[in-house]
Amino acid sequence: MLASLLPGIREIRAPLAAGYIWMITLWVIFSESIPKKNGAQGIWKTAYQLSSMVGVPATLAAITFAAYLFGCLLEIRARSIVHWFRFSEWRWSFHQKILGNPLAGQLDDPRMLNWTERPETIRGAAELHSLILPDESFTYVRRPDWGSRASRSALIDLAIHIRRTGGREVDLYSTMGRFGDELDQLPIRLQARNADLYGTYDRATAEADFRVNVGLSASILVAAVAAKSMLGVLLLIPCAWFLIVRGQQKAREANDVLIQAVASGELESTTLASALPQLPVPSTQSGQTDTSSTPPNLPGSAVNGAPDLA
């Protein structure tokens, strides 16, 4: 019973909480313009009379419903603003445009996926040796346009999966870019394929939306309170922004679940299936396997020159 209610509670939690905060903000801004019950006229007098007639519980229920509708109108999906706070790229752009273009810092470009054996990617280090040439240990691949919606570790795991499936000659940047177009469709397939894994994704997404919407509405509330009376309240705005940043981190974690599901074979990506070359299946005759031909793109097969890393 509780398990069936939780998804619905997650759906209404973010807009309801944000709606309450937005309504409190409006009250802070327009409270002086709202007449008291004794001196109310027109629509305000009618509202007070209706509240007295239905009682306090019904009034609170109406306010809750209004807050939910208001929150739905102003709700923001965390995945839609995950690119707002890319401090590392802004810093890199500052160094490149203002301080010059040092060649030594190119591998630290946050828009690149470094094929290095750092602890962050050590779980894929063993496979990297079979997928790239020995002199490519510091080669890098450009991050796809949607790359800010996932962690660097998950993107490298996806690149390893693409190379393991399609071989060394696959254009990683183009293939990963096409995968991004399908990312928003994968949760539906994951829900049908693995309910437990989808639950992990759904919890992370709901938490991301909650943090982003509460943080955004709370920052507006703090600004309204500061404008009315206390400027010192503005010191709380960084706390609200930090909540937004944490929501974006949760949104990346949710996308990481989808990427890891594809990389582990738990979920199939139709985009990758159509983009990667199809490996030929050896034919069998009279119970004998034809091994005269080797699939051209098997991982670990020798190729002439370095792979095409966009």
Side-chain angles (χ1 to χ4, degrees), residues 9-300:
I9 295 176
R10 295 194 199 106
E11 286 291 330
I12 68 174
R13 183 180 59 170
L16 183 60
Y20 269 125
I21 298 177
W22 283 115
M23 292 189 70
I24 294 174
T25 303
L26 292 177
W27 182 83
V28 169
I29 296 174
F30 300 105
S31 59
E32 297 178 356
S33 302
I34 300 176
K36 303 298 182 180
K37 184 176 182 179
N38 296 333
Q41 298 293 332
I43 187 64
W44 291 110
K45 182 177 180 179
T46 303
Y48 282 124
Q49 290 175 346
L50 180 61
S51 175
S52 299
M53 182 176 60
V54 299
V56 175
T59 301
L60 292 178
I63 294 176
T64 299
F65 181 68
Y68 173 73
L69 293 180
F70 202 62
C72 288
L73 291 175
L74 299 176
E75 184 181 12
I76 298 177
R77 292 294 182 182
R79 63 189 181 189
S80 65
I81 63 169
V82 77
H83 60 282
W84 280 10
F85 295 88
R86 293 186 292 183
F87 298 113
S88 59
E89 292 198 14
W90 293 346
R91 183 182 61 185
W92 180 86
S93 179
F94 173 79
H95 282 288
Q96 297 294 309
K97 295 179 180 179
I98 306 300
L99 303 180
N101 185 19
L103 296 177
Q106 285 187 354
L107 292 180
D108 294 328
D109 184 351
R111 296 176 297 184
M112 300 295 178
L113 299 178
N114 301 336
W115 294 78
T116 57
E117 298 178 20
R118 298 176 182 176
E120 181 182 356
T121 59
I122 195 65
R123 62 178 179 272
E127 293 185 76
L128 281 176
H129 290 298
S130 63
L131 298 174
I132 61 178
L133 298 177
D135 58 349
E136 292 178 324
S137 58
F138 287 95
T139 309
Y140 49 88
V141 178
R142 190 150 59 101
R143 186 189 300 265
D145 295 334
W146 58 272
S148 58
R149 296 173 57 186
S151 67
R152 173 180 176 272
S153 178
L155 291 174
I156 291 180
D157 285 343
L158 178 63
I160 293 175
H161 169 72
I162 292 174
R163 274 292 172 87
R164 184 177 62 242
T165 305
R168 294 181 175 179
E169 297 179 352
V170 174
D171 186 344
L172 285 177
Y173 178 72
S174 175
T175 305
M176 293 177 70
R178 293 182 60 182
F179 177 81
D181 299 334
E182 188 187 17
L183 190 61
D184 293 336
Q185 308 301 323
L186 293 179
I188 301 177
R189 304 177 201 167
L190 184 61
Q191 185 178 19
R193 185 69 177 268
N194 190 322
D196 294 335
L197 197 57
Y198 174 79
T200 303
Y201 165 83
D202 187 54
R203 287 191 296 271
T205 302
E207 186 64 27
D209 291 340
F210 177 79
R211 296 182 184 186
V212 167
N213 284 275
V214 170
L216 179 61
S217 56
S219 63
I220 303 300
L221 174 59
V222 170
V225 173
K228 279 289 183 178
S229 57
M230 301 174 293
L231 292 177
V233 180
L234 289 175
L235 296 176
L236 297 177
I237 286 186
C239 299
W241 289 352
F242 180 72
L243 193 61
I244 297 177
V245 173
R246 294 302 300 268
Q248 291 179 315
Q249 292 176 354
K250 275 293 181 181
R252 291 189 181 94
E253 291 178 11
N255 288 329
D256 287 354
V257 173
L258 300 177
I259 294 175
Q260 296 297 347
V262 172
S264 63
E266 182 67 29
L267 188 63
E268 181 180 359
S269 168
T270 55
T271 299
L272 293 184
S274 60
L276 297 179
Q278 300 297 319
L279 300 180
V281 179
S283 59
T284 57
Q285 295 180 356
S286 303
Q288 299 293 328
T289 302
D290 182 12
T291 59
S292 58
S293 61
T294 302
N297 290 325
L298 280 176

